[in-house]
Amino acid sequence: MRRFKFNLESVLVVRKKALDDARIQLASVMNIYNRQKDVLDEMNFELVCIQKESEKYLNEGEFNPEMISNFNSFSYKLTQDIKSQEKIMAETYKDLLKAQEAARLAYIKVKSLENLKQKQKEDYDREFLQQEVKEIDDIVNSRRKAV
């Protein structure tokens, strides 16, 4: 009996490659998003530190309007940078969702072909077993006739 051969093996290989590419793209976008999140966290931490430092400066008793103005200007600039970073992260998050969807669809395509291959392999094994049983029966029957 012939060996098992999955007719769509080349399609499966191409889809697995597409899945790997989609996963690599997803990892890349996720890495970018995580770095952007780290930058945002650092900015928020810096803003909190500036606010604490300005409060400490005000509580010391020495009033310097220039220094207060500098603290205020820097915290305003940092706040604007945080808003910009949040907008950038929102766009990156959209890209992340697209990459996740692409990877999910690629996985579904691969899995469906793998399931089809498995089903065909089981059918082949069942046919092969039936063929073996038939051949064994033929051998046994031919020996009975000969005796």
Side-chain angles (χ1 to χ4, degrees):
M1 189 169 179
R2 60 179 168 59
R3 278 187 38 188
F4 174 73
K5 183 174 185 331
F6 184 57
N7 294 335
L8 299 173
E9 189 68 39
S10 59
V11 176
L12 180 59
V13 169
V14 170
R15 286 189 179 174
K16 282 183 178 180
K17 174 71 172 124
L19 175 61
D20 289 343
D21 292 345
R23 285 180 174 167
I24 289 169
Q25 179 66 27
L26 175 61
S28 173
V29 173
M30 194 175 291
N31 189 20
I32 291 169
Y33 182 77
N34 288 336
R35 278 190 267 133
Q36 289 175 348
K37 188 173 182 333
D38 291 343
V39 168
L40 180 64
D41 292 342
E42 184 68 31
M43 287 178 174
N44 283 324
F45 178 75
E46 186 72 26
L47 182 62
V48 168
C49 288
I50 292 297
Q51 289 171 346
K52 286 180 181 178
E53 192 174 331
S54 69
E55 287 175 12
K56 179 182 153 192
Y57 185 77
L58 285 172
N59 291 335
E60 285 180 356
E62 294 180 25
F63 184 75
N64 185 347
E66 185 177 314
M67 192 64 126
I68 293 172
S69 175
N70 288 342
F71 277 125
N72 188 35
S73 296
F74 186 68
S75 65
Y76 177 76
K77 181 194 176 305
L78 205 50
T79 303
Q80 294 304 314
D81 290 346
I82 288 171
K83 288 178 183 176
S84 297
Q85 186 68 19
E86 287 172 345
K87 288 179 184 176
I88 291 169
M89 284 182 64
E91 290 299 316
T92 305
Y93 187 72
K94 289 178 186 176
D95 293 341
L96 180 66
L97 291 178
K98 288 178 187 175
Q100 284 176 336
E101 183 64 16
R104 187 182 70 80
L105 292 175
Y107 176 77
I108 289 171
K109 288 180 180 180
V110 168
K111 195 64 179 169
S112 65
L113 274 182
E114 286 177 343
N115 288 342
L116 179 62
K117 180 179 180 179
Q118 181 66 27
K119 184 177 178 191
Q120 286 183 1
K121 175 73 171 143
E122 289 170 1
D123 290 345
Y124 169 81
D125 290 342
R126 197 174 310 113
E127 285 179 28
F128 186 75
L129 187 60
Q130 288 175 351
Q131 185 69 24
E132 277 187 342
V133 168
K134 184 178 176 186
E135 288 176 4
I136 290 172
D137 285 345
D138 287 345
I139 293 171
V140 169
N141 286 338
S142 66
R143 286 192 179 174
R144 283 186 186 165
K145 289 179 184 177
V147 175

